[in-house]
Amino acid sequence: MKIGIPKEIKNNESRVGMTPAGVFELTKKNHTVYVQSSAGEGSGFFDKNYLEVGAIILPTIEEVYSESEMIVKVKEPIAEEYSLIKKNQIVFTYFHFASSEALTKAMIKSKSICIAYETVEDEEGTLPLLTPMSEVAGRMAIQQGAKYLEKPVKGRGILLGGVPGVTPGKVLILGAGVVGVQAAKMAAGLGAHVTIMDINMKRLRYVNDVLPNHVITAFSSEYSIRQLIKTHDLIVGGVLVKGGKAPKLITKDMLKEMRPGTVVVDVAVDQGGCFETTKPTTHQDPTYIIDDVVHYCVANMPGAVPYTSTIALTNVTLPYILKLANLGWEKACKLDKSLNKGLNIVKGEVVYKEINEAFNLN
């Protein structure tokens, strides 16, 4: 199969769809891999590294799309790429269709085969291709939140870990999934006071067992959220609905209940966000303020640490990429139920229920 790795053109996205190690595994199996010139530089992988493992370097994004039967990316195609996607071409990437009707309609029109990393689901019900980026984003949420709590960037002026004689900062985490657990781990490691909320008691019991004693679990309800936001300095939204829009757990009127300089980090921004006031931002301009509350809503958080993120992503995507390349998408998806759940749009038809529901397409 001819596989293309284009350069990501979304704002401040420095990740790349595959490491040289991943390319090597494909060329070893006699597949042809086209890599756009300088595609990997942001992640610390250079054209010479790809050439050494048998890739063909192409100068433009247009050539990569034109030559390839399968495109392997990191982020969803943006408007400039829509016209480059061909009929029957496989596009394997993070799509997050439920948060963009324009993208959904463009991919329907392209008649391509859209396989979304974020809906590939294993037998245990976990999302193996979303997990590593959720781990990165969860940990980064605390790293960024701690930074934006500083006074020069309009935060409350809180050191999350406190110091002897001074109470540590308080972190509220909504959702005890991968993002929430990783965020709690980082916040606890800094010495912050951490509360993690969920509606799934099984997850809360798990958190209670594996995290330190100063991480407190709480059952999530609108009432309890309204009470806790009054006293917490950093609030992290990490709620996921598989393939669908995130629920709005913090409404605009709740911001007035928070103390000035409170920081909210919405990791669910890719799927519409779990705060009513969420709007996607970029690494170039990551925050905005509403009612004296600092919002950090960067839509590609792991893109800020591309070396770590690209290796973590290739580790989990490569087995699926090899299956698609070796067998073709129809046979691969028929044999692998996990990969089959990644099918979102096939030759102009939406085949993933939550996308149809998001836009009333049926």
Side-chain angles (χ1 to χ4, degrees):
M1 187 181 276
K2 295 175 181 177
I3 297 139
I5 317 290
K7 186 172 183 174
E8 298 294 324
I9 55 176
K10 192 164 184 170
N11 181 288
N12 275 273
E13 180 51 74
S14 300
R15 289 173 291 179
V16 64
M18 205 181 303
T19 62
V23 172
F24 179 66
E25 293 302 317
L26 286 163
T27 56
K28 204 166 68 174
K29 298 273 195 304
N30 297 318
H31 300 296
T32 303
V33 182
Y34 299 106
V35 178
Q36 187 183 342
S37 182
S38 78
E41 282 185 9
S43 295
F45 305 116
F46 299 94
D47 289 356
K48 65 175 185 178
N49 304 129
Y50 288 106
L51 286 168
E52 284 165 1
V53 294
I56 296 167
I57 303 295
L58 294 177
T60 67
I61 193 168
E62 289 80 8
E63 287 171 273
V64 172
Y65 275 95
S66 173
E67 293 292 333
S68 305
E69 296 164 274
M70 174 162 67
I71 295 292
V72 176
K73 280 174 50 59
V74 181
K75 292 303 290 178
E76 74 284 350
I78 62 173
E80 296 96 291
E81 292 171 275
Y82 292 170
S83 62
L84 302 177
I85 296 167
K86 302 179 294 187
K87 185 179 179 181
N88 296 331
Q89 193 170 43
I90 304 162
V91 186
F92 195 28
T93 189
Y94 289 115
F95 276 107
H96 299 288
F97 279 118
S99 64
S100 174
E101 191 169 1
L103 172 67
T104 304
K105 287 182 172 175
M107 293 305 100
I108 291 170
K109 188 180 175 185
S110 75
K111 293 194 163 27
S112 59
I113 292 90
C114 300
I115 308 177
Y117 291 161
E118 73 276 5
T119 66
V120 171
E121 187 179 331
D122 63 21
E123 287 171 9
E124 288 82 47
T126 62
L127 306 170
L129 307 191
L130 194 60
T131 296
M133 294 305 100
S134 296
E135 288 168 337
V136 172
R139 293 181 177 210
M140 272 191 72
I142 302 302
Q143 192 171 296
Q144 298 299 321
K147 180 167 79 180
Y148 286 100
L149 275 170
E150 295 170 9
K151 201 67 182 174
V153 281
K154 310 298 183 191
R156 285 198 70 223
I158 300 279
L159 181 67
L160 269 189
V163 290
V166 183
T167 310
K170 297 180 84 173
V171 179
L172 176 62
I173 298 166
L174 306 176
V178 176
V179 167
V181 168
Q182 295 301 322
K185 194 180 286 187
M186 284 291 277
L190 286 172
H193 177 288
V194 184
T195 302
I196 184 166
M197 307 184 82
D198 206 296
I199 54 172
N200 183 335
M201 284 305 302
K202 192 176 176 184
R203 286 300 295 176
L204 293 179
R205 289 189 182 101
Y206 169 77
V207 169
N208 200 60
D209 286 344
V210 299
L211 290 179
N213 289 337
H214 63 290
V215 175
I216 296 161
T217 56
F219 189 80
S220 184
S221 67
E222 184 181 340
Y223 179 83
S224 54
I225 291 172
R226 283 184 181 274
Q227 296 307 305
L228 289 167
I229 59 174
K230 297 173 185 176
T231 57
H232 283 70
D233 306 300
L234 170 58
I235 300 166
V236 175
V239 179
L240 173 75
V241 175
K242 290 174 187 174
K245 281 192 173 182
K248 305 297 182 196
L249 299 184
I250 290 185
T251 53
K252 188 176 189 307
D253 68 291
M254 290 185 189
L255 301 186
K256 291 183 170 57
E257 300 292 315
M258 299 177 194
R259 294 172 297 194
T262 297
V263 175
V264 295
V265 177
D266 196 344
V267 184
V269 59
D270 264 346
Q271 293 188 263
C274 54
F275 308 146
E276 192 181 1
T277 47
T278 290
K279 58 183 182 185
T281 61
T282 65
H283 291 294
Q284 200 172 328
D285 190 14
T287 61
Y288 56 93
I289 296 171
I290 298 175
D291 292 338
D292 294 322
V293 172
V294 180
H295 290 60
Y296 179 96
C297 304
V298 174
N300 60 328
M301 287 172 69
V305 286
Y307 179 78
T308 300
S309 298
T310 294
I311 295 173
L313 184 60
T314 301
N315 287 345
V316 292
T317 57
L318 186 60
Y320 294 101
I321 293 165
L322 282 164
K323 273 185 189 172
L324 289 165
N326 292 338
L327 302 172
W329 74 269
E330 286 176 282
K331 193 172 181 184
C333 290
K334 196 173 181 180
L335 293 173
D336 190 321
K337 288 178 183 175
S338 303
L339 192 55
N340 192 58
K341 288 193 175 177
L343 286 171
N344 279 208
I345 299 175
V346 177
K347 300 180 182 180
E349 185 186 348
V350 175
V351 295
Y352 200 81
K353 181 167 69 86
E354 283 80 0
I355 302 168
N356 279 317
E357 288 171 355
F359 304 119
N360 296 315
L361 293 172
N362 280 351

